[in-house]
């Protein structure tokens, strides 16, 4: 029986130097958290949710607290969670004022016949299920405000994000993929989106097959990067399909990212696990923090080619 894996990412793009340490610490803590949930008897989807909650709570990332701002200076977040057994999935789009959108996505999956709730409806649903609504200012970091001002000053918008040599976003989307020892898969992704996005814009993250995919017959994938590009090529489903033909997670992600670049000139990254315990974190942007626990070892990295390990 293969060993379980809990693998997380903290988003593709540049990651400015002042966030490097916090980003690596954040992904390591999240991988440990997910692993702990599995070790205590939680399911793959429980572990994915717990790991993403840990990342949403870390202000170094563009998700939950630390989310980037819309052009109007507000936080609107997207999240998805998917369970590979039965392809169950729940998502929220453009939700506001909740610290952990992935928890609401989980409730959509577990408590409704729907796949995605957006905007006001998502907030009403969250309240009905006792999710705390917080003062929006508590989700906004000074860095997110600064980033928006930078974009406004230089009149850059979401449309300029195609160019990877001019990396836009300082901190980024988060995600987690899990395969348990019994072969149960799960994936979750959460984001504040892209700085200066139009109010009401939903990115790839809550779109099933774009921002995440989990299938107990193939593996699990969480993506990050330019959302409009990721949606056009259904990146997470594309990578999962390649894995189901026998490709390793690494080959499948590379194939998916190459396809996205060749078809729509988009850049990003993804993490993937296969049913046999294969693991990969691959990106076509300058950096992407990632970490995973397999056996008694914590693996992590952020820069191209970096792969560090430490004992759990
Ligand atoms: N994919 C996210 C979005 O477009 C952002 C990111 O992953 O950096 O909303």
């Amino acid at each position: 029986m293969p060993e379980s894996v809990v693998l997380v990412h903290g988003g593709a793009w540049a990651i400015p130097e002042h966030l490097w340490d916090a980003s690596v610490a954040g992904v390591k803590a999240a991988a440990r958290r997910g692993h702990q949930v599995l070790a205590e008897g939680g399911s793959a989807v429980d572990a994915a949710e717990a790991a993403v909650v840990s990342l949403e709570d870390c202000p170094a990332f563009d998700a939950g607290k630390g989310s980037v701002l819309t052009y109007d200076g507000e936080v609107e977040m997207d999240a998805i969670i998917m369970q590979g057994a039965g392809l169950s999935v729940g998502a929220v789009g453009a939700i506001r004022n909740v610290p952990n959108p992935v928890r609401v996505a989980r409730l959509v999956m577990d408590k409704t016949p729907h796949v995605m709730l957006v905007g006001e409806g998502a907030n009403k649903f969250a309240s009905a299920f006792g999710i705390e609504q917080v003062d929006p200012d508590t989700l906004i970091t000074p860095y997110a405000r600064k980033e928006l001002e930078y974009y406004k000053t230089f009149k850059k918008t979401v449309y300029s994000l195609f160019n990877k040599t001019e990396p836009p976003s300082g901190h980024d989307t988060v995600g987690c993929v899990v395969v348990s020892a019994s072969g149960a898969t799960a994936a979750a992704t959460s984001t504040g989106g892209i700085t200066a996005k139009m109010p009401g814009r939903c990115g790839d993250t809550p779109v099933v097959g774009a921002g995440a995919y989990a299938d107990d017959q193939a593996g699990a994938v969480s993506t990050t990067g330019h959302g409009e590009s990721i949606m056009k090529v259904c990146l997470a489903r594309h990578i999962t399909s390649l894995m189901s033909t026998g490709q390793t997670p690494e080959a499948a992600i590379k194939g998916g990212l190459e396809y996205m670049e060749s078809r729509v000139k988009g850049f990003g990254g993804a993490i993937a696990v296969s049913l046999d315990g294969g693991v990969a974190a691959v990106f076509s942007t300058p950096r992407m923090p990632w970490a995973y626990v397999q056996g008694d070892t914590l693996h992590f990295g952020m820069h191209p080619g970096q792969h560090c390990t430490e004992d759990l």
Side-chain angles (χ1 to χ4, degrees), residues 13 172-173 191 193-194 201 203-205 224-225 227:
W13 295 123
D172 223 323
T173 296
T191 189
I194 293 180
R201 176 257 192 192
D204 58 305
T205 297
T224 167

Side-chain angles (χ1 to χ4, degrees), residues 9 11-13 62 78 158 161 169 171-174 189-194 197 201-206 211 223-231 268-269:
H9 71 78
W13 295 123
D62 168 22
D78 301 333
V158 65
L161 303 185
S169 192
H171 55 321
D172 223 323
T173 296
V174 303
T189 311
S190 180
T191 189
I194 293 180
K197 65 184 182 180
R201 176 257 192 192
C202 278
D204 58 305
T205 297
T223 64
T224 167
H226 184 249
E228 280 68 13
S229 301
I230 292 171
M231 277 189 274

Side-chain angles (χ1 to χ4, degrees), residues 157-168:
T157 71
V158 65
Y159 304 109
S160 71
L161 303 185
F162 283 99
N163 185 354
K164 79 165 170 177
T165 59
E166 189 185 13

Side-chain angles (χ1 to χ4, degrees), residues 239 242 248-258 269-272 280-283:
I239 294 168
L242 293 176
T248 62
E250 183 171 356
I253 298 178
K254 281 186 179 156
L257 292 176
E258 279 164 18
I271 53 173
V282 181
F283 44 100

Side-chain angles (χ1 to χ4, degrees), residues 102-304:
V102 74
R103 284 198 201 282
V104 190
R106 175 76 188 263
L107 286 167
V108 173
M109 178 173 89
D110 288 348
K111 307 288 184 193
T112 81
H114 304 305
V115 165
M116 195 196 304
L117 296 178
V118 302
E120 207 184 326
N123 274 99
K124 279 189 183 156
F125 168 77
S127 291
F129 277 87
I131 297 281
E132 180 200 8
Q133 310 269 315
V134 297
D135 177 344
D137 280 350
T138 62
L139 301 175
I140 301 178
T141 58
Y143 184 66
R145 287 196 205 280
K146 219 167 107 186
E147 251 195 339
L148 179 60
E149 283 320 306
Y150 175 81
Y151 278 90
K152 285 191 167 172
T153 306
F154 293 98
K155 297 209 175 357
K156 291 177 191 300
T157 71
V158 65
Y159 304 109
S160 71
L161 303 185
F162 283 99
N163 185 354
K164 79 165 170 177
T165 59
E166 189 185 13
S169 192
H171 55 321
D172 223 323
T173 296
V174 303
C176 178
V177 290
V178 179
V179 58
S180 74
S182 63
T185 62
T189 311
S190 180
T191 189
I194 293 180
T195 294
K197 65 184 182 180
M198 290 171 68
R201 176 257 192 192
C202 278
D204 58 305
T205 297
V207 177
V208 60
Y213 205 73
D215 180 351
D216 279 5
Q217 294 182 4
V221 177
S222 167
T223 64
T224 167
H226 184 249
E228 280 68 13
S229 301
I230 292 171
M231 277 189 274
K232 287 174 190 168
V233 301
C234 301
L235 185 61
R237 177 72 178 119
H238 187 100
I239 294 168
T240 315
S241 297
L242 293 176
M243 287 198 294
S244 69
T245 67
Q247 289 197 19
T248 62
E250 183 171 356
I253 298 178
K254 281 186 179 156
L257 292 176
E258 279 164 18
Y259 181 75
M260 182 164 79
E261 186 173 345
S262 69
R263 293 302 306 274
V264 294
K265 298 189 175 62
F267 297 98
I271 53 173
V273 288
S274 57
L275 301 181
D276 58 2
V279 184
V282 181
F283 44 100
S284 56
T285 54
R287 275 170 279 278
M288 184 181 79
W290 56 268
Y292 68 90
V293 175
Q294 191 169 34
D296 294 331
T297 309
L298 176 70
H299 303 248
F300 59 95
M302 178 172 63
H303 304 283

